[in-house]
């Protein structure tokens, strides 16, 4: 976990931890969407919550802060890769955060003895694709 944190932060990506009642309620970070230079303005987000803190607005607050920080750093698109089409909580948090459904990869993950779909959602950051960065 420390190695991942260092790689993200040293790479210029944001990483946040939510503390509630003296406990880690969750964390969120953004990282490279793809390693090739063409994708340098696109990030993939990850949000993880302690189940005892679900439905308390923690995920939405983490996502809101993550979006703002990515915009401040000049990123233009954010992709959410949600590892289970049945994860209504994560899909709802992203929908409320301005993400749109862009597709589903059926049966691409195997976890706890069952196949999982991957849901893809996306939102613009800042000016999105309306302008080319640096122009």
């Amino acid at each position: 976990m420390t190695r991942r944190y260092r790689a993200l932060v040293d790479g210029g990506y944001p990483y946040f931890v939510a503390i509630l009642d003296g406990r880690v309620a969750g964390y969120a970070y953004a990282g490279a969407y793809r390693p090739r230079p063409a994708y340098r303005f696109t990030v993939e987000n990850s949000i993880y919550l302690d189940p005892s803190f679900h439905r308390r607005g923690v995920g939405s607050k983490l996502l809101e802060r993550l979006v703002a920080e990515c915009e401040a750093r000049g990123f233009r698109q954010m992709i959410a890769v949600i590892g289970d089409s049945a994860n209504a909580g994560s899909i709802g948090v992203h929908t409320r955060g301005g993400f749109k459904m862009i597709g589903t990869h059926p049966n691409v993950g195997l976890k706890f003895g069952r196949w999982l779909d991957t849901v893809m959602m996306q939102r613009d950051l800042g000016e999105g694709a309306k302008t080319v960065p640096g122009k």
Side-chain angles (χ1 to χ4, degrees):
M1 197 66 185
T2 301
R3 206 173 22 238
R4 180 157 191 70
Y5 169 81
R6 286 272 32 115
L8 290 165
V9 172
D10 291 348
Y13 298 101
Y15 194 114
F16 299 106
V17 177
I19 308 290
L20 287 174
D21 305 326
R23 295 177 40 216
V24 174
Y27 60 95
Y29 58 85
Y33 171 65
R34 296 281 185 268
R36 293 191 174 122
Y39 303 104
R40 68 188 175 281
F41 294 103
T42 301
V43 292
E44 180 179 330
N45 77 323
S46 295
I47 302 172
Y48 298 94
L49 297 180
D50 177 322
S52 65
F53 288 96
H54 283 186
R55 304 197 56 79
R56 292 175 58 181
V58 177
S60 292
K61 288 290 186 191
L62 282 167
L63 181 58
E64 180 182 313
R65 179 69 197 275
L66 193 61
V67 164
E69 187 60 31
C70 286
E71 288 176 332
R73 294 181 189 204
F75 295 108
R76 294 295 190 91
Q77 299 292 326
M78 185 175 280
I79 307 291
V81 181
I82 300 168
D84 186 353
S85 60
N87 189 341
S90 186
I91 292 168
V93 163
H94 284 88
T95 299
R96 288 187 299 280
F99 285 74
K100 304 274 189 269
M101 188 74 65
I102 58 171
T104 301
H105 299 280
N107 305 310
V108 294
L110 181 64
K111 190 173 180 181
F112 304 124
R114 71 181 186 96
W115 288 102
L116 301 175
D117 298 342
T118 297
V119 173
M120 305 289 290
M121 299 181 78
Q122 180 177 346
R123 72 159 280 166
D124 287 342
L125 299 175
E127 294 184 19
K130 292 181 187 119
T131 62
V132 174
K135 293 206 174 207

